[in-house]
């Protein structure tokens, strides 16, 4: 039977002295873009580092593409493209050094494509006269160069840690387009996992979402399904106390209130005169993270 | 052989070549300048004193060459160093790192040896004492060894203390055993005249330290490279 998950985890745990990730159980669907969403310290980067073999898990199993290959396998690493949130490449490296290093490290690295992508992302390429070292570039340009390098490889899974955090809104939009193109090129065989705080800007790039809080997954699913599962309830302040028990998280001022609620409560809320609407990913994220915070 | 050079280039890009070439060019420039001055002034006292000082200074550069690549390479084993995650994520990263360690040792040694050879030839032709060059070489081996031993220590201050300690100890030992005339600088030749056994002990210890350090580093590289 064909496995339709690019990554599956069972009992995945990472223990640090002051933080524990997991135990996580999840299946990330193949052919889609998955957003890891959570507050700072939720464990997104730790999870990404484990998935890419940068950090070792303490317990549990991770399966990639339904095969039994471990992330230590060079063959598997060739299929996975990884980009860390900042200072991914050495500070002394120029685009030329990156090209030399990546060409030696990865069989599928396309040096010409890397130069083209660098030009498309408006950063120094290896053919730029006197390309600048990473140290002398802004965070945004460093991220653009790192993204150009990872997109210049032939991979089946991209794992990007905060790819949009240091990019300007226009570049974030271009990145979303590039991510969409990547998925389209794969025809259902290529997947992306990325973490983000810029939920509104990256919403176009995400199909599936994993919400994390303090090392645990609090919600997971296709964004379209989650938008049907939850609603944003909005009403007048006088109805707040009555509606509050039906909402997961909410906030109110003197005149109005709004909050996240389960769609199954929409009818009851409507009877109270409370309107409901489909949440955006941003509203969903804030509502779920607030709920998790209140439940601690 | 190619695998090792490639692993080295993977960690240094083309920086290694440009650094090596510029470093050798600066050194060659200084040696030629010394040689030119010595020839032009036909061995005057002032120039003789200056060239002797230069030869001592250049000899001190030899061991430092050993630190250029090794220090930079071991820094990548530290999670705080930019590039750490990139190198950890490449296929077969631990094996690539192991190969790069071997290559970096060889390159560092080769750089030191080439520099020493150039100095010996030029200074011999100009009749300038180059006893300190040998001293530099002994320290180069010892430093490479210490760098290999302390490479995985995440606190850089510890490595620096060990390296400074090594310099201080060597200088102290040399000064202690060749003491007698305070106004003369200490050369390995002088030390050999006064305490030949110490020269052999120093050279032997340096070689042993280098070999042991390299063996240790290679043996533990895979385990130390991968973050737990």
């Amino acid at each position: 039977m064909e496995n339709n998950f690019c990554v599956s985890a069972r009992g995945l745990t990472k223990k640090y002295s002051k933080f524990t990730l997991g135990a996580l159980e999840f299946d990330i669907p193949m052919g889609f873009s998955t957003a890891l969403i959570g507050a700072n310290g939720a464990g997104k980067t730790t999870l990404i580092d484990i998935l890419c073999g940068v950090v070792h898990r303490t317990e549990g199993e991770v399966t990639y593409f339904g095969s039994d290959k471990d992330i230590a396998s060079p063959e598997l690493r060739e299929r996975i493209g990884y980009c860390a949130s900042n200072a991914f490449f050495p500070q002394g490296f120029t685009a030329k050094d990156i090209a030399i290093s990546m060409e030696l490290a990865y069989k599928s690295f396309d040096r010409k494509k890397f130069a083209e992508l660098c030009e498309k992302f408006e950063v120094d390429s290896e053919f730029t006269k006197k390309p600048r070292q990473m140290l002398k570039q802004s965070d945004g340009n460093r991220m653009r160069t790192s993204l150009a390098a990872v997109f210049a490889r032939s991979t089946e899974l991209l794992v990007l840690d905060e790819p949009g955090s240091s990019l300007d809104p226009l570049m974030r939009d271009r990145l979303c387009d590039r991510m969409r193109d990547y998925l389209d090129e794969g025809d259902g065989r290529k997947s992306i996992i990325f973490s983000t705080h810029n939920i509104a800007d990256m919403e176009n790039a995400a199909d599936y979402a994993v919400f994390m809080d303090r090392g645990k997954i609090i919600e997971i699913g296709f964004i379209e399904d989650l938008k049907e599962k939850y609603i944003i309830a909005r009403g007048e302040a006088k109805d707040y106390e009555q509606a509050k028990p039906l909402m997961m998280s909410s906030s109110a001022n003197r005149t109005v209130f709004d909050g996240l609620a389960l769609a199954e409560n929409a009818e009851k809320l409507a009877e109270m005169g409370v309107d409901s609407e489909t949440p955006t990913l941003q509203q969903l994220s804030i509502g779920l993270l607030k709920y998790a915070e209140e439940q601690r | 052989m190619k695998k090792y050079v490639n692993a080295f280039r993977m960690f240094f890009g083309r920086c290694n070549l440009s650094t090596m070439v510029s470093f050798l060019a600066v050194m060659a420039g200084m040696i030629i300048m010394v040689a030119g001055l010595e020839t032009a002034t036909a061995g005057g006292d002032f120039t003789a004193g200056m060239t002797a000082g230069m030869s001592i200074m250049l000899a001190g550069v030899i061991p430092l060459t050993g630190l250029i690549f090794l220090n930079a390479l071991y820094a990548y084993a530290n999670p705080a160093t930019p590039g750490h995650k990139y190198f950890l994520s490449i296929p077969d990263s631990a094996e690539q790192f192991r190969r790069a360690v071997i290559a970096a040792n060889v390159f560092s040694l080769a750089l030191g040896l080439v520099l020493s050879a150039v100095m010996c030839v030029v200074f011999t032709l100009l009749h300038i004492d180059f006893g300190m060059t040998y001293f530099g070489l002994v320290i180069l081996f010892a430093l490479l060894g210490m760098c290999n031993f302390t490479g995985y220590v995440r606190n850089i201050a510890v490595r620096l203390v060990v390296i400074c300690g090594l310099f201080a100890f060597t200088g102290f030992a040399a000064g202690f055993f060749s003491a007698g005339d305070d106004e003369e600088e200490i050369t390995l030749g002088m030390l050999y005249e006064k305490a030949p056994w110490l020269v052999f002990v120093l050279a032997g210890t340096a070689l042993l330290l280098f070999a042991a350090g390299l063996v240790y580093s290679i043996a533990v590289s895979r385990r130390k490279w991968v973050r737990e």
Side-chain angles (χ1 to χ4, degrees), chain A residues 2 8 15 28 34 42 46 82 89 112 114 116 141 160 162 167 177-179 218 221 239 272 281 286 292 296:
Chain A
E2 195 183 358
S8 299
K15 286 178 184 162
I28 306 286
T34 300
T46 306
Y82 164 64
F89 289 112
K112 198 177 153 205
F114 173 54
E116 284 169 5
N141 282 358
L160 313 172
E162 301 273 359
L167 302 178
D177 291 344
R178 186 72 197 88
M179 286 163 75
I218 54 169
D239 302 320
M272 297 171 199
L281 183 59
I286 293 170
R296 279 178 206 154

Side-chain angles (χ1 to χ4, degrees), chain B:
Chain B
M1 174 71 180
K2 198 180 170 189
K3 284 191 294 191
Y4 291 88
V5 174
N6 282 347
F8 186 73
R9 292 180 71 214
M10 208 179 282
F11 280 87
F12 290 97
R14 54 162 196 158
C15 307
N16 55 323
L17 294 174
S18 52
T19 309
M20 211 184 273
V21 168
S22 53
F23 178 75
L24 282 175
V26 170
M27 287 300 115
M30 287 182 81
I31 292 166
I32 289 165
M33 194 180 76
V34 171
L37 276 171
E38 181 76 4
T39 312
T41 58
D45 282 349
F46 174 74
T47 323
M50 197 178 77
T51 50
M54 288 279 270
S55 74
I56 293 168
M57 191 202 76
L58 288 173
V61 171
I62 295 170
L64 293 177
T65 59
L67 291 180
I68 295 174
F69 297 122
L70 268 189
N71 239 349
L73 184 65
Y74 283 121
Y76 291 134
N78 187 337
T81 307
H84 171 76
K85 284 189 175 182
Y86 163 64
F87 291 120
L88 267 174
S89 69
I90 63 177
D92 222 353
S93 66
E95 176 59 16
Q96 299 294 0
F97 181 71
R98 190 188 69 85
R99 287 177 191 161
V101 165
I102 296 170
N105 271 278
V106 172
F107 276 127
S108 301
L109 210 54
L111 199 61
L113 288 170
V114 167
L115 195 59
S116 310
V118 171
M119 283 167 66
C120 288
V121 169
V122 175
F123 292 153
T124 304
L125 288 173
L126 296 170
H127 309 293
I128 297 170
D129 180 64
F130 56 89
M132 283 302 281
T133 308
Y134 295 127
F135 226 161
L137 264 180
V138 169
I139 298 176
L140 168 67
F141 277 94
L143 265 187
L144 287 178
M146 289 314 293
C147 205
N148 282 322
F149 271 120
T150 58
Y152 304 103
V153 177
R154 286 187 182 173
N155 190 344
I156 294 170
V158 173
R159 200 186 313 166
L160 287 176
V161 165
V162 170
I163 288 165
C164 290
L166 187 77
F167 267 115
F169 170 76
T170 316
F172 174 76
F176 183 79
F177 285 99
S178 66
D181 190 345
D182 288 344
E183 290 176 4
E184 277 192 84
E185 77 269 19
I186 304 147
T187 66
L188 205 64
M190 274 177 64
L191 193 62
Y192 185 73
E193 278 173 23
K194 298 210 174 185
W197 60 270
L198 184 67
V199 174
F200 287 113
V201 168
L202 277 177
T205 309
L207 278 171
L208 201 68
L209 206 58
F210 170 69
L214 186 56
V215 169
Y216 165 79
S217 179
I218 292 168
V220 302
S221 66
R222 192 170 281 272
R223 186 163 51 85
K224 297 276 186 182
W225 176 244
V226 179
R227 274 169 77 187
E228 292 305 327

